Amino acid sequence: MSRSTRTRWRLGLTATAFLVAAGLVTAPAHAEDVTDYAISVDPAAKGAKIDDTMYGVFFEDINRAADGGLYAELVQNRSFEYSTADNTSYSPLTSWTVDGTAQVVDDDGRLNERNRNHLALAAGSSVTNAGYNTGIRVEAGKKYDFSVWARATGGTTLTVSLQDADGALAAARKVAVRKSGWAKYTAAFTATRTSSAGRLTVASSAASALDMVSLFPRDTYKNEPNGLRKDLAEKIADLHPGFVRFPGGCLVNTGSMEDYSAASGYQRKRSYQWKDTIGPVEQRATNANFWGYNQSYGLGYYEYFRFAEDIGAMPLPVVPALVTGCGQNRAVDDEALLKRHIQDTLDLIEFAGGPVTSRWGKVRARMGHPRPFHLTHLEVGNEENLPKEFFARFTRFRAAIEAKYPDITVISNSGPDDSGSTFDTAWQLNRDAKVDMVDEHYYNSPQWFLQNNDRYDSYDRNGPKVFLGEYASQGNAFENGLAEAAYMTGLERNADVVKLASYAPLFANEDYVQWRPDLVWFNNHAAWNSANYEVQKLFMNNVGDRVVPSTATGTPSLLGPITGAVGLSTWATSAAYDDVRVTGADGKTLLTDDFSQDSSTWTHTGGGSWSVRDGQFVQTDTAAENTMVQAGDPSWHDYDLHVKATKKSGKEGFLVAFGVKDTGNYYWWNLGGWNNTQSAVEQAVDGGKSTLISKAGSVETGRAYDIDIKVRGRQVTLYLDGKEWDSFTDDKPAEPFRQVVTRDKKTGDLIVKVVNAQSSAARTAIDLGGAKVASKAEVATLAAAPDAVNTETSTAVAPVTSTFTGVTGRFTYTFPANSITFLRIQQRR
């Protein structure tokens, strides 16, 4: 289905008059009235073409997005494979309780070589599974399919029951195990009550062995076996994404690159490798998830491909490049292993698109899909922080893929940040090699997104295209959605450079959170859209086919100097500070402290343990993060800060802060951050941090460093041991009013998209440049308080549709405070 057939939203019954009364849309003014802004559209000019695949989703198994999430299996640890390798708190019986005698064993009697553990259950004993969150969710009247692999010498009867604290949730089932060898047995339940706290119990009359204990709702997405949780899958489908990027993320480029076999010692902490995840689920390898739990691979490559096809999206897999990232930062030097991974990637392409007569096409067909999946793009690597080592391997992958599959677009990346030495080096390598597409990732503050709408305006139109594979503005409040929406107008304006974009991460189970923010939140019985989701949905469902060039006036703003107190901090490190001096530009001493007495000058606003020791101010807790102490006046400006710093022990270096207004608003020079691999200047705005400068580098333990920071107006110069380290000028305005106009070829609509991320309404004169248009426009509006957050029980941010009847070639529209508004205007030919 083409993008244009999806774009028109269905109007509700809400009229403009109602919206005016509700305060969501201000009554339109006459064109001659004074306006705050002006938008001029040039409908005769041809802007960038927007591909159907412009916006997509990125799925990574983080925050229990797969097991306990999108993968519909209700039993946790169904094959007794949980291990301390996954999480130090785990055992093979995690999520199970035993009544009687049961033992998890790893011996020659296992189900198969890749499913190594099984449960030995004594006669008259039972095991009960607790599921995820508060328990197993069942709904009255719905059917659930139970299965188990079992064996019992002489046979046994399994009694399978579903219950919660109030009693039975369904009639118990008897399962006769007749074979001494492994066999699969099934039963079906119909729930008699609804509960989110169910438990599944399997009892055995005689000694038996069990493995792969499973309970699936029959009502999965598209009713597919080994399927997806319906409400979560529908959340993705409702976005109408152009692509699905999978399976990661840090899952792809961390851990061992070996396979799961006897030769490698059945390594549990492996990178995500596609061949581990296909075939019958009972034969798929288990793995330790980078984010601190186990992943069963029940949701594997076949299911990803199938889901992408179901929702009409382009599949976009990511394979490991044999350079680890996400803090591990190690290049694997093993020629045979590299060749094996390159061949695995070629085999993946054959699995996705090869004929049924090919080796891997035949595997796909046996799994139930003889028809090829439409694979056109493939990414090698993810956020590698060693650009030269990564690129040496990437070029080997690319050459092999292009030689056999020249129509596949092979995507590279630019590391984990939006700027800095790694980013610059990676981009230069990509440009020099004429790579087709480069994946950029960044997670920054809302202010950064408001300041950098023009990021791609200056990118080389003839260079590699951009895949913005991961981005978010560090929060799930509506202010975050507003900033992201403002930024997305810049992505669309530059659709000739930015070809793909996906917010990240996609899912978060509220009881298993490793990362915030996230697009969709859920538990075992409900799912809800974040404010960011509503923004993504509005854009994804109203993209258009081509940009219509337009211009807008900006918001007048006067930038004052950087103001604020000073601060000291650490991150998982013990450090000592001394000889702090703050001197005004006029030479006047504002602060001096050699810690010969006490630390009464300083206010402790973070964690950690600070004390004066031997004439130094020392933070001793090597586990504490952001241990900020601060001193001085928030109104200080134009000053020089000096401090002497010594790392005592721990993972990182020093954090010296300036321009400190409060605990959520400051700048700091992070020396020896990211596990002592790089240094950067970061800016925190309302708690969200952005990186302004980044360089590779580390600090030595026990060495005293002289740190000097010179603040003049909005320019900052940084000195390390008397030598200039770098400088920057923070003078980009955070423009709150952004817009873009696109045309929908199918409907003929002009789509005027306006973001007003400020607390006052924006009365705007819109000039359609002589276009002949209908007098009526369809309107979709997202408007809410900046701190509004959607929850399971409250939806503060949701779209409202209406009709506006005052459209002419020139008209005025008032965009509400803190709003995103899409006007669909029918253009007459």
Side-chain angles (χ1 to χ4, degrees), residues 770-793:
K772 296 179 179 180
V773 293
S775 61
K776 185 167 61 175
E778 298 173 2
V779 185
T781 305
L782 284 172
D787 60 354
V789 176
N790 289 346
T791 68
E792 179 184 354
T793 57

Side-chain angles (χ1 to χ4, degrees), residues 252-309:
V252 168
N253 69 334
T254 54
S256 167
M257 299 294 166
E258 300 285 352
D259 62 2
Y260 191 63
S261 68
S264 66
Y266 295 102
Q267 294 189 36
R268 290 292 295 265
K269 293 188 175 182
R270 309 182 310 284
S271 63
Y272 196 111
Q273 299 173 47
W274 78 272
K275 288 180 181 177
D276 285 344
T277 76
I278 62 168
V281 291
E282 69 274 8
Q283 295 177 16
R284 299 183 187 182
T286 192
N287 201 4
N289 182 294
F290 174 81
W291 298 107
Y293 50 90
N294 177 272
Q295 50 190 349
S296 72
Y297 288 145
L299 176 58
Y301 257 76
Y302 175 76
E303 289 75 28
Y304 286 125
F305 277 125
R306 190 178 65 191
F307 180 57
E309 181 181 71

Side-chain angles (χ1 to χ4, degrees), residues 1-131:
M1 182 184 294
S2 71
R3 174 73 59 187
S4 57
T5 61
R6 302 174 179 146
T7 53
R8 296 184 72 92
W9 57 75
R10 184 172 298 170
L11 289 178
L13 299 178
T14 309
T16 305
F18 175 82
L19 293 173
V20 172
L24 292 176
V25 174
T26 308
H30 297 295
E32 64 268 23
D33 286 351
V34 175
T35 56
D36 302 308
Y37 297 90
I39 296 174
S40 298
V41 183
D42 186 356
K46 184 175 286 189
K49 181 181 181 297
I50 306 175
D51 295 339
D52 285 355
T53 51
M54 173 74 183
Y55 294 122
V57 294
F58 164 48
F59 183 91
E60 179 175 11
D61 188 0
I62 185 174
N63 309 313
R64 283 240 181 245
D67 295 336
L70 185 62
Y71 186 49
E73 173 66 76
L74 296 172
V75 175
Q76 184 176 177
N77 190 17
R78 66 184 177 186
S79 60
F80 310 100
E81 296 289 342
Y82 275 30
S83 163
T84 53
D86 311 326
N87 189 298
T88 55
S89 68
Y90 281 2
S91 78
L93 280 171
T94 292
S95 200
W96 294 93
T97 55
V98 177
D99 185 2
T101 303
Q103 182 181 5
V104 176
V105 293
D106 175 3
D107 60 19
D108 292 340
R110 64 179 64 89
L111 180 59
N112 58 65
E113 285 302 303
R114 293 165 72 79
N115 192 331
R116 302 188 63 76
N117 286 352
H118 63 277
L119 184 74
L121 190 61
S125 299
S126 66
V127 286
T128 298
N129 190 266

Side-chain angles (χ1 to χ4, degrees), residues 89-205:
S89 68
Y90 281 2
S91 78
L93 280 171
T94 292
S95 200
W96 294 93
T97 55
V98 177
D99 185 2
T101 303
Q103 182 181 5
V104 176
V105 293
D106 175 3
D107 60 19
D108 292 340
R110 64 179 64 89
L111 180 59
N112 58 65
E113 285 302 303
R114 293 165 72 79
N115 192 331
R116 302 188 63 76
N117 286 352
H118 63 277
L119 184 74
L121 190 61
S125 299
S126 66
V127 286
T128 298
N129 190 266
Y132 298 93
N133 299 97
T134 55
I136 292 172
R137 166 71 173 185
V138 297
E139 296 181 41
K142 291 195 173 182
K143 295 185 179 298
Y144 297 84
D145 292 316
F146 168 83
S147 65
V148 63
W149 284 79
R151 60 177 169 80
T153 303
T156 188
T157 297
L158 302 179
T159 301
V160 188
S161 57
L162 270 170
Q163 68 284 325
D164 63 9
D166 295 326
L169 294 169
R173 294 288 183 261
K174 301 287 187 181
V175 176
V177 178
R178 298 187 176 89
K179 297 182 179 180
S180 57
W182 287 106
K184 184 177 182 180
Y185 299 90
T186 63
F189 292 93
T190 300
T192 55
R193 289 191 294 113
T194 294
S195 176
S196 297
R199 300 291 187 268
L200 177 74
T201 298
V202 182
S204 184
S205 60

Side-chain angles (χ1 to χ4, degrees), residues 282-350:
E282 69 274 8
Q283 295 177 16
R284 299 183 187 182
T286 192
N287 201 4
N289 182 294
F290 174 81
W291 298 107
Y293 50 90
N294 177 272
Q295 50 190 349
S296 72
Y297 288 145
L299 176 58
Y301 257 76
Y302 175 76
E303 289 75 28
Y304 286 125
F305 277 125
R306 190 178 65 191
F307 180 57
E309 181 181 71
D310 284 344
I311 62 177
M314 175 181 78
L316 203 166
V318 186
V319 299
L322 274 72
V323 177
T324 59
C326 302
Q328 297 181 358
N329 301 335
R330 182 175 64 91
V332 179
D333 291 315
D334 186 325
E335 180 64 20
L337 193 58
L338 176 60
K339 288 181 177 178
R340 194 265 286 175
H341 274 268
I342 291 172
Q343 185 59 52
D344 281 354
T345 302
L346 297 175
D347 293 344
L348 171 61
I349 298 171
E350 182 177 283

Side-chain angles (χ1 to χ4, degrees), residues 187-271:
F189 292 93
T190 300
T192 55
R193 289 191 294 113
T194 294
S195 176
S196 297
R199 300 291 187 268
L200 177 74
T201 298
V202 182
S204 184
S205 60
S208 60
L210 308 179
D211 207 342
M212 293 296 291
V213 182
S214 174
L215 187 69
F216 256 88
R218 192 168 294 178
D219 186 20
T220 59
Y221 185 69
K222 302 285 187 181
N223 295 315
E224 290 170 336
N226 196 52
L228 306 182
R229 179 171 150 176
K230 190 173 183 179
D231 61 337
L232 296 184
E234 287 176 344
K235 294 286 187 190
I236 305 175
D238 288 347
L239 292 170
H240 299 299
F243 65 88
V244 178
R245 176 177 177 248
F246 63 87
C250 289
L251 304 187
V252 168
N253 69 334
T254 54
S256 167
M257 299 294 166
E258 300 285 352
D259 62 2
Y260 191 63
S261 68
S264 66
Y266 295 102
Q267 294 189 36
R268 290 292 295 265
K269 293 188 175 182
R270 309 182 310 284
S271 63

